[in-house]
């Protein structure tokens, strides 16, 4: 069972003033209270993000979904406890339910540089995601895997949508976070790369041209890990629940394993063009699981759930090899029955903002 393909998850969250339901600028205090991550020696940690209204919990390197779930639940509970101790709530949403005043950048030269480079584009970018890291130690192989992932990234987005609200209220989109992210240069589905050298050259050129703040700032939906020997799949909105995060991690790792099988068998990747990829991402962000999508393997429109069935057929053998297939099917059925995160938020909003915040608030139980 141990094939060496490890997985880890980085989860970004918003801090909230319970009385006003607006984001709270107190990340430093919350992280200080959270202290050292229980799995710090395996890479786990609690981190700052772009704005002082955001915090991150990163798991360590995990070999099984059970191990990953334990660390995800620990990270959520520990940050929630720390937030509660500061009189705040920890919210699992891709964008704020109530925008509040303009957020303050986290102190530091790098964050200040990002603010200068992107100016108004980043001024209200309080967007939180769920990033999955899958271990692929060989960079040449990792770049080849990235090429195989391209058709499936919009499907992962559609499953993860959890950010319907913008500064003016309901945006009409299931993932307003993805719309905000699309304003940055080089966002969306990553290009096809012939080699690791070609990948590095493209990143370096974008930095030289001034559109990336630094080499670790690319906005592609899947990329090479900047600090770890991983592929980082960063398509998903912040996961409303630990189950939603586990589903993204399981499908992401299975996609990588399937790509490795395809590479070993000499099967080339599908190569949808950039405009079609952009259309698929837009459809996923607009409708989530409640509307049409774009099948990037055929270039034709298809219902969102049909695309999920296609994805499950594609990665099913890889999931079965890890004994993850039954759990993934159960998690998918839960999404089918309860709706995606954006749909759940909108149902709660029929009774006002308070029920939405309650839905998204993470319990600060014993960690």
């Amino acid at each position: 069972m141990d094939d060496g393909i490890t997985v880890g998850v980085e989860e970004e969250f918003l801090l909230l003033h319970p009385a006003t339901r607006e984001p709270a600028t107190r990340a430093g205090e919350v992280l200080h209270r959270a202290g050292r991550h229980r799995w710090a020696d395996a890479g786990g940690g609690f981190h700052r993000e772009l704005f002082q209204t955001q915090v991150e919990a990163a798991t360590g390197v995990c070999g099984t979904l059970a191990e990953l779930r334990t660390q995800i639940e620990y990270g959520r509970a520990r940050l929630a406890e720390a937030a509660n101790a500061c009189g705040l709530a920890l919210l699992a949403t891709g964008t704020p339910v109530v925008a509040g005043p303009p957020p303050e950048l986290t102190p530091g030269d790098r964050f200040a540089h990002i603010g200068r480079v992107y100016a108004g584009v980043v001024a209200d970018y309080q967007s939180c995601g769920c990033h999955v890291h899958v271990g692929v130690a060989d960079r040449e192989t990792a770049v080849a895997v990235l090429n195989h992932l391209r058709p499936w990234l919009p499907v992962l987005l559609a499953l993860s949508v959890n950010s319907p609200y913008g500064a003016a209220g309901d945006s009409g989109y299931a993932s307003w976070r993805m719309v905000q992210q699309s304003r940055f240069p080089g966002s969306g589905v990553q290009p096809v790369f012939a080699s690791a050298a070609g990948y590095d050259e493209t990143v370096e050129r974008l930095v030289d041209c001034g559109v990336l703040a630094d080499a670790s700032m690319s906005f592609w939906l899947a990329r090479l890990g900047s600090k770890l020997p991983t592929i980082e799949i960063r398509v998903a909105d912040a996961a409303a629940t630990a189950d939603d995060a586990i589903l993204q991690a399981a499908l992401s790792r299975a996609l990588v394993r399937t790509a490795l099988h395809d590479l070993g068998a000499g099967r080339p990747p599908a190569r949808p063009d950039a405009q079609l990829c952009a259309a698929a991402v837009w459809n996923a962000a607009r409708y989530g699981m409640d509307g049409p999508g774009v099948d990037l393997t055929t270039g034709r429109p298809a219902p969102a759930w049909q695309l999920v069935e296609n994805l499950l057929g594609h990665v099913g053998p890889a999931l079965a090899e890890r004994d993850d297939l039954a759990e993934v099917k159960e998690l998918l059925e839960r999404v089918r029955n309860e709706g995606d995160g954006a749909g759940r938020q909108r149902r709660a909003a029929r009774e006002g903002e308070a029920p939405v915040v309650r839905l998204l608030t993470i319990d600060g139980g014993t960690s």
Side-chain angles (χ1 to χ4, degrees):
M1 290 296 296
D2 185 6
D3 56 11
I5 303 177
T6 57
V7 64
V9 170
E10 296 170 340
E11 292 198 277
E12 298 166 347
F13 304 106
L14 283 169
L15 298 172
L16 198 76
H17 290 293
T20 65
R21 307 188 189 103
E22 295 177 350
T25 306
R26 294 170 64 184
E29 183 180 348
V30 171
L31 291 172
H32 177 74
R33 285 183 176 271
R36 190 174 189 268
H37 195 285
R38 185 181 298 168
W39 282 273
D41 291 342
F46 301 117
H47 307 295
R48 295 176 179 267
E49 283 298 319
L50 180 63
F51 290 111
Q52 296 187 61
T53 54
Q54 300 169 296
V55 290
E56 178 189 88
T59 72
V61 177
C62 298
T64 67
L65 294 187
E67 182 183 0
L68 184 67
R69 180 181 291 277
T70 297
Q71 294 198 30
I72 285 174
E73 291 177 347
Y74 160 78
R76 286 171 164 245
R78 187 74 201 101
L79 280 180
E81 287 173 1
N84 294 168
C86 298
L88 305 175
L90 187 73
L91 222 63
T93 182
T95 53
V97 178
V98 180
E104 296 179 24
L105 284 169
T106 296
D109 292 343
R110 182 171 185 266
F111 293 121
H113 178 57
I114 291 169
R116 288 192 299 270
V117 169
Y118 297 113
V121 170
V122 80
D124 62 346
Y125 189 62
Q126 293 181 98
S127 297
C128 295
C130 174
H131 302 166
V132 180
H133 286 264
V134 182
V136 180
D138 176 357
R139 293 184 86 247
E140 291 294 341
T141 302
V143 168
V145 167
L146 286 177
N147 296 336
H148 281 260
L149 298 182
R150 297 174 75 245
W152 306 105
L153 297 174
V155 187
L156 294 180
L157 172 61
L159 280 168
S160 79
V161 292
N162 188 39
S163 57
Y165 298 107
D170 193 327
S171 67
Y173 285 76
S175 176
W176 188 242
R177 163 187 164 270
M178 187 54 60
V179 175
Q180 290 185 308
Q181 188 170 309
S182 70
R183 299 180 300 182
F184 291 90
S187 60
V189 175
Q190 69 278 7
V192 173
F193 296 104
S195 65
Y199 178 98
D200 292 338
E201 182 182 351
T202 298
V203 173
E204 290 168 7
R205 185 180 300 120
L206 292 172
V207 173
D208 288 343
C209 289
V211 299
L212 294 186
D214 55 45
S216 65
M217 194 67 184
S218 69
F219 292 94
W220 294 321
L221 299 183
R223 67 186 189 184
L224 299 186
S226 58
K227 298 177 181 178
L228 301 169
T230 63
I231 287 172
E232 183 182 5
I233 299 173
R234 46 193 294 110
V235 64
D237 282 356
T241 66
D243 279 347
D244 293 333
I246 290 291
L247 179 59
Q248 284 290 315
L251 290 172
S252 296
R253 181 169 68 170
L255 277 168
V256 171
R257 297 188 80 246
T258 301
L260 291 170
H261 287 316
D262 287 344
L263 287 168
R267 287 187 285 270
R271 296 185 63 145
D273 66 41
Q275 288 301 303
L276 201 60
C277 289
V281 171
W282 186 89
N283 271 269
R286 175 67 174 87
Y287 302 111
M289 296 306 302
D290 291 331
V294 177
D295 187 340
L296 289 179
T297 66
T298 66
R300 304 297 302 169
W305 276 107
Q306 180 58 57
L307 297 179
V308 171
E309 292 300 324
N310 295 349
L311 171 60
L312 192 60
H314 179 65
V315 302
L319 289 168
E321 288 174 5
R322 295 290 303 186
D323 287 340
D324 294 337
L325 183 58
E327 182 172 1
V328 166
K329 285 183 174 180
E330 180 181 341
L331 294 173
L332 287 172
E333 191 63 21
R334 187 168 300 171
V335 176
R336 190 187 293 272
N337 292 334
E338 299 177 4
D340 57 39
R344 285 174 249 161
Q345 288 198 40
R346 286 182 170 128
R347 284 200 306 275
R350 294 169 187 166
E351 305 297 325
E353 293 170 352
V356 184
V357 171
R358 286 198 296 270
L359 174 72
L360 299 170
T361 298
I362 297 174
D363 181 20
T366 302
S367 62

